Structures are given as structure tokens and as C-alpha cells.
Amino acid sequence: MNDAHVHEVAIVGAGFGGLGMAIRLKEEGIDDFVLLERGDDVGGTWWANSYPGAQCDVPSNLYSFSFAPNPNWTRAYPLRDEIQAYLRACAERYGVVPHMRLGCELLGATWVAGEQRWELETSQGPIAARVLVAAPGLLSEPCEPALPGLERFEGNAFHTARWDHGDDLAGKRVAVIGTGASAVQVVPAIQPRVGRLTLFQRTPPWVAPHMDREVTPRMREAYRRLPALQQLSRAFIYSLVELLLAPGMTRDRRYLKPAEWIVKLKLRREVPDPNLRRRLTPSIQLGCKRLVFSNAWYPALQAPNVELVSSGIRELREHSIVDGDGVEHEIDTLILATGFTPAELPIAERIHGRDGRSLAQVWDGSPQAYLGTTVTGFPNLLFLYGPNLNLGHTSIVYMLESQLAYATDALRTMRLRGAAEFEVRPEVQAAYNEEIQERLAGTVWNSGCSSWYIDRNGRNSIMWPGYTFEYRRRTRRFDTPAYRLRPATTLRTSNGASRSHPPAHAR
Ligand code: NAP
């Protein structure tokens, strides 16, 4: 296959979304595609986030592709290494590996209207494709805040999503900034081996009990012999979290009261010192920021080598951080557990649509799409884990599989109708976003706290405001009336003959 070849599909990103798309293409009999991944292996966020203690807080039996159950999970909540190994095994099992280009970063993508195709500039050279599937992941771009004096700091500094495994931290004075889901896992994992750990907390999180436990070898054997057992467990977990948590988050916050009692009781039991307890008590509505799960967080914070600082950060110096009270904390290593920038993904600056503007220019800080997947002005672009698809209660893999069905049906529709192009109608995208924003207004995520769900314009561009089965229903079929389908254009070649550009899979 040479560089001049126009692929049917180019997928960017080999996490759950991009890999799932590749598997679906294979199942559809579409073999002419490439899967680009800037990392050295598949896994997406689970490849990038290799910090100590990394584990998903969605139960293992739900956090996998429905078509590829994994009887080998060793914990009720999957460990990062096992998720990455699972995705690698899926790539091998479904024949995706020959399509993968690892260490290949998308530098730019431009829609060439006359040719009805995307032209990609990558770190490994140019690629052309009829359809572009962008699967960059939502939590892939580390947010490194502009802390005063950070450039002066001479110790080792890194973000949780870029963990420096060369720094063993043993006996060192370590500072962690942030108290989100990443910090809640990192701090207990490193606390026993560091000399001193100073935790800079801006907002205390709500911390729920973690139901993690070992999946015994006997249970794993049972899942292997009786796959229906694991499917049953999956269905049970899915229904339970959907019914217990989604109504409180999306409809009526009173349904979250029982959860609030549980987390308050946990805090009272695990933190006997009333002064420390007060500093660890959140003032925000439970669920407004992502609820975190840990049985090790409060014990770690009370270990003799840990200090909690909640007065803020005044400045960094060569070997220290000065807190908001002016107290100087000497440190050797600085760990930024400061999260991600999901509404400002760099890939949005690199994808240029029909009028030459990038997604970032069109979105202006507030990503919008139709069904979180297609964008007016960007023909033949399918965005996975796009705007307003994130969840606060269950597995994103469920949403991604809904998108994969929709995306696959889009390709099928193009083939059946002889179309070379699809583009969502602007009025359809506008009406959809109006509906989503109206519904989000009453949700817990819009209840007034600052979080990564709210973009720089104050709009919630991240969360899905309903049950996940509603999204599944709405994406079951590619809804052709919402789109402009265009046939292949006829071009004149240099020798004067006419030729057309049908999509490769329509030939
Ligand atoms: P996060 O939830 O956005 O937390 C970032 C933390 O850094 C917050 O405590 C934030 O404080 C603090 N922070 C940011 N800028 C700061 C500054 N300039 N000064 C002081 N503090 C600052 O990020 P995350 O913990 O990486 O988690 C992101 C998401 O990834 C999670 O919500 C979750 O969806 C996912 N995740 C999941 C798991 C899991 O499944 N177990 C694990 C890790 C991550 P404020 O709250 O005051 O802004």
C-alpha cells in the first residue's frame, strides 16, 4: 500500500474507541483502514496513565467490550495493566494489529472537498482516507496549571499521566497537587515509600467506599466455563448503577441523599480528628465533581509522613513550595495530579473542515456535535467520545459501543446509497445541542461547582444528561434525514476524460 492510496477509513487513537471501531470495520468486511496511535502501544488513556495505583472505578465485568468478555480479571475493578493487556489481546484476536501504526501522531487533517476525502499529515508521513474517525479520548491531554514559579523549580516534576518511572521516590520529599480521582489512587500507593508527602488540596472530594475485591481463581474458572455467568453479572451491575445513580445525577438530587449519608459516615468513621475532618469535608454537592472511590485515602492522609496543606500555593522556588500561609515546604519531587483539558483537545486544532477552519476555531472552547459524533462543516468525520457523552456513574465503553454501531451504520448507508459524503445538517445539530443544554441545566454537574465538565465559556460540553440506554436507542441506526448525503463528484482528468470518486467501499 503506497502513500498515494486513499484508504476507506483512517482511525486516530487506539484506546477503547479507536480499537473498537477497528474491530467493527473488520466485522463489516472493511479491510482498507489504518489505525494511528501516537503511543507505543494500544490502550489510549490506559496506556498513558501508568501511575502507581491506577485502577478503573467501573467494575471489571462492565468495563470491557460486550462482545469480548474477559474471564481473566483478577480484581472486581480492573487494574490499569490488566486493561491495557486486555486491549492488546483484543487487537490481536480481531486481526487489528496489521492495521496499526504505533508511534504515529496526527499532525493535521484537512477535508479536500474536490476530492471528497481527508488528507492527513502524520509524524510518519501523509495518509489519505474517505472517512476520518477521531478517537482521541477525553482524558488524554494533561492539564499543567501555570503555578507561579513553576519554571524555577529544579527538582523532578511530572504529571500523573506522564509518570516518571525512573524516579523511585524512595525516601524523598514529595509534593502532590490535586485531590481528584488520580491523586486518590496515587497518594496511598506511594505514601509508604516516600520520606515525606505534602498534599496540596484545593477542594476536598467526596470519597465513597471502594467495593474492590479479588476475583478468585475459582470464580475466573467459572466465568471461563460458563460465560453466561459473567454476562449476568455485567447486566446486574449495569442495571444497578443505572437505576441507583443516574436519576440522582440527571433528574432529582434527592436520590443522591443515601449516597451522601454513606460518604459522610465513612468520613466520620475514618477520620477521628475533628479538625482534620473539617478540612476534608466537601462543601460542594455530591456528584457535582466526579465522585471518587477509595478505602485507602483517609488512612494515607493520617499517616505520620503525610501533611495536608489547604491554604493554597503562593509560589514555587528552586527546591520548595510556599503555601498560602507563607510556610515553605522543601521538596525533591513534584507530582501534578491536576487532571486534563477535555474541552480543549489539541486534536481539535488539527482537524480542518470544509471552510478551512479547525474544530477548535469552530467550537471556540465549547465543543458541539450531533449525538456527540458528527459535526456540521466536517464531512465524513466521526468523533468518538465526542462532546456531551461523558458519564458520572457507569462505563464509557457502553457509550462507545453505541457510537460504533452508529458509525458502522453510517458507512453501510453510504455504501447502500452510493454516497461519497455525509454531513450533519446545521439545524439538526443546533436543535440537538439546545435539547442537551436544557436538560443539563437541572443536573448535578451544573449545580455550581467548578470541574472539568464545565468549559471556559461556562458551558457543560462534557456530560450526557440521561440514561445510557437512551443514547443506545438514539444511535441504533444512522438517521439519514439528519444528514446531507452527497454522491461522488465527477472530476475531469488531465486527458479530458471524466472520472468519479466513489467511496472505496462503494466500489
Ligand atoms: P481532576 O479530577 O480534574 O482533579 C484535578 C485536581 O487537581 C483537583 O483536585 C483540582 O482542584 C486540582 N488542581 C487543578 N489545578 C490546580 C491548581 N492550579 N492548584 C491547585 N490544585 C489544582 O483530575 P484527575 O484526578 O486526573 O481525574 C480526572 C478524571 O479522570 C476523573 O474525574 C475520572 O473521570 C478519570 N479518572 C478515573 C480514574 C478511575 O477510574 N479510578 C482514575 C483517575 C482518573 P479543584 O477540584 O479545586 O479544581
Coordinates of all heavy atoms in Angstrom, one line a residue, residues 48 57 64 77 79 122 163 197 215 237 261 281 322 324 357 411 419 439 450-451 455 468 499-500:
A48 N -1.4 5.7 28.6 CA -0.7 6.9 29.1 C -0.7 6.9 30.6 O 0.3 7.3 31.2 CB -1.5 8.1 28.6
D57 N -12.5 2.8 38.2 CA -13.5 2.7 39.2 C -14.9 2.3 38.7 O -15.9 2.4 39.3 CB -13.6 4.0 40.0 CG -13.9 5.2 39.2 OD1 -14.3 5.1 38.1 OD2 -13.6 6.3 39.7
S64 N -15.6 -3.6 29.8 CA -14.9 -4.3 28.7 C -15.9 -4.3 27.5 O -17.1 -3.9 27.7 CB -14.7 -5.8 29.2 OG -15.8 -6.3 29.8
Y77 N -12.5 -4.5 40.3 CA -12.3 -3.3 39.5 C -11.0 -3.5 38.8 O -10.0 -3.8 39.4 CB -12.3 -2.1 40.4 CG -13.7 -1.8 41.0 CD1 -14.2 -2.6 42.0 CD2 -14.5 -0.8 40.5 CE1 -15.5 -2.3 42.6 CE2 -15.8 -0.5 41.0 CZ -16.2 -1.3 42.0 OH -17.5 -1.1 42.5
L79 N -7.4 -3.4 37.1 CA -6.1 -2.7 37.2 C -5.7 -2.2 35.9 O -5.9 -2.8 34.8 CB -5.1 -3.6 37.8 CG -5.4 -4.3 39.2 CD1 -4.4 -5.4 39.5 CD2 -5.5 -3.2 40.3
T122 N 0.9 13.1 9.2 CA 1.2 12.4 10.4 C 2.7 12.5 10.6 O 3.5 12.8 9.7 CB 0.8 11.0 10.4 OG1 1.7 10.2 9.6 CG2 -0.6 10.8 9.8
W163 N 3.9 9.6 34.0 CA 4.6 9.2 35.2 C 6.1 8.9 34.9 O 6.4 8.3 33.9 CB 3.9 8.0 35.8 CG 4.4 7.7 37.2 CD1 5.4 6.8 37.6 CD2 3.9 8.3 38.4 NE1 5.6 6.9 38.9 CE2 4.7 7.8 39.5 CE3 2.9 9.2 38.7 CZ2 4.5 8.2 40.8 CZ3 2.7 9.6 40.0 CH2 3.5 9.1 41.0
L197 N 5.3 13.3 52.4 CA 4.4 13.6 51.3 C 3.6 14.8 51.8 O 2.9 14.8 52.8 CB 3.5 12.4 51.0 CG 2.7 12.5 49.7 CD1 2.4 11.1 49.2 CD2 1.4 13.2 49.9
V215 N -11.0 -11.3 42.4 CA -11.8 -12.3 41.7 C -11.0 -13.6 41.8 O -9.9 -13.8 41.3 CB -12.0 -12.0 40.2 CG1 -12.9 -13.0 39.5 CG2 -12.6 -10.6 40.1
I237 N -24.8 -5.4 37.2 CA -24.1 -4.2 37.6 C -24.6 -3.0 36.8 O -24.8 -1.9 37.3 CB -22.5 -4.3 37.4 CG1 -22.0 -5.4 38.2 CG2 -21.8 -3.0 37.6 CD1 -20.6 -5.9 37.8
W261 N -25.2 10.2 52.8 CA -25.1 9.7 54.1 C -24.0 8.7 54.2 O -23.2 8.7 55.2 CB -26.4 8.9 54.5 CG -27.6 9.8 54.6 CD1 -27.6 11.2 55.0 CD2 -29.0 9.5 54.3 NE1 -28.9 11.7 54.9 CE2 -29.8 10.7 54.5 CE3 -29.6 8.3 53.9 CZ2 -31.2 10.7 54.3 CZ3 -31.0 8.4 53.7 CH2 -31.7 9.5 53.9
T281 N -13.9 17.8 54.7 CA -15.4 17.7 54.4 C -15.7 18.6 53.2 O -15.5 19.8 53.2 CB -16.2 18.2 55.6 OG1 -15.9 17.4 56.7 CG2 -17.7 18.1 55.3
V322 N 5.9 27.4 48.5 CA 5.5 28.2 49.6 C 3.9 28.2 49.6 O 3.3 28.5 48.5 CB 6.0 29.7 49.4 CG1 5.5 30.6 50.6 CG2 7.5 29.7 49.3
G324 N -0.1 29.0 51.0 CA -0.9 30.3 51.1 C -0.7 31.0 52.4 O -0.9 32.2 52.5
R357 N -11.6 26.1 8.5 CA -11.4 26.4 10.0 C -11.3 25.0 10.7 O -11.8 24.0 10.3 CB -12.6 27.1 10.5 CG -12.6 28.6 10.1 CD -13.7 29.3 10.8 NE -15.1 28.7 10.6 CZ -16.1 28.9 11.4 NH1 -16.0 29.7 12.5 NH2 -17.3 28.4 11.1
L411 N -21.4 4.1 7.5 CA -20.6 3.6 6.4 C -21.5 2.7 5.5 O -21.4 2.7 4.3 CB -19.4 2.8 6.9 CG -18.4 3.6 7.8 CD1 -17.3 2.7 8.3 CD2 -17.9 4.8 7.0
A419 N -23.4 7.0 -1.7 CA -22.9 8.4 -1.3 C -21.4 8.4 -1.0 O -20.9 7.4 -0.6 CB -23.7 8.8 -0.1
R439 N -31.5 20.1 29.2 CA -31.6 19.0 30.1 C -30.4 19.1 31.2 O -30.6 18.7 32.3 CB -31.6 17.7 29.4 CG -32.9 17.5 28.6 CD -32.8 16.3 27.7 NE -32.5 15.0 28.4 CZ -32.3 13.8 27.8 NH1 -32.4 13.8 26.5 NH2 -32.1 12.8 28.5
S450 N -16.9 24.2 40.2 CA -16.0 24.2 39.0 C -15.5 22.8 38.9 O -15.1 22.1 39.8 CB -14.9 25.2 39.2 OG -13.9 24.6 40.1
S451 N -15.5 22.3 37.6 CA -15.0 21.0 37.4 C -14.6 20.9 35.9 O -14.9 21.8 35.1 CB -16.1 19.9 37.6 OG -17.0 19.9 36.6
D455 N -16.7 24.1 30.6 CA -15.6 24.6 29.8 C -15.4 26.1 30.1 O -16.0 26.7 31.0 CB -15.9 24.4 28.3 CG -17.2 25.1 27.8 OD1 -17.4 26.3 28.3 OD2 -17.9 24.6 27.0
T468 N -28.0 5.9 29.9 CA -27.2 5.4 28.8 C -28.0 4.7 27.8 O -27.7 4.6 26.6 CB -26.0 4.6 29.3 OG1 -26.5 3.4 30.0 CG2 -25.0 5.4 30.1
R499 N -13.9 11.2 -14.6 CA -13.8 10.1 -13.7 C -14.5 10.5 -12.4 O -14.6 11.7 -12.1 CB -12.4 9.7 -13.4 CG -11.5 10.7 -12.7 CD -10.1 10.2 -12.7 NE -9.2 11.2 -12.2 CZ -8.9 11.4 -10.9 NH1 -9.4 10.6 -10.0 NH2 -8.1 12.3 -10.5
S500 N -15.0 9.6 -11.7 CA -15.7 9.9 -10.4 C -15.0 9.4 -9.3 O -14.1 8.5 -9.4 CB -17.1 9.4 -10.5 OG -17.1 8.0 -10.5

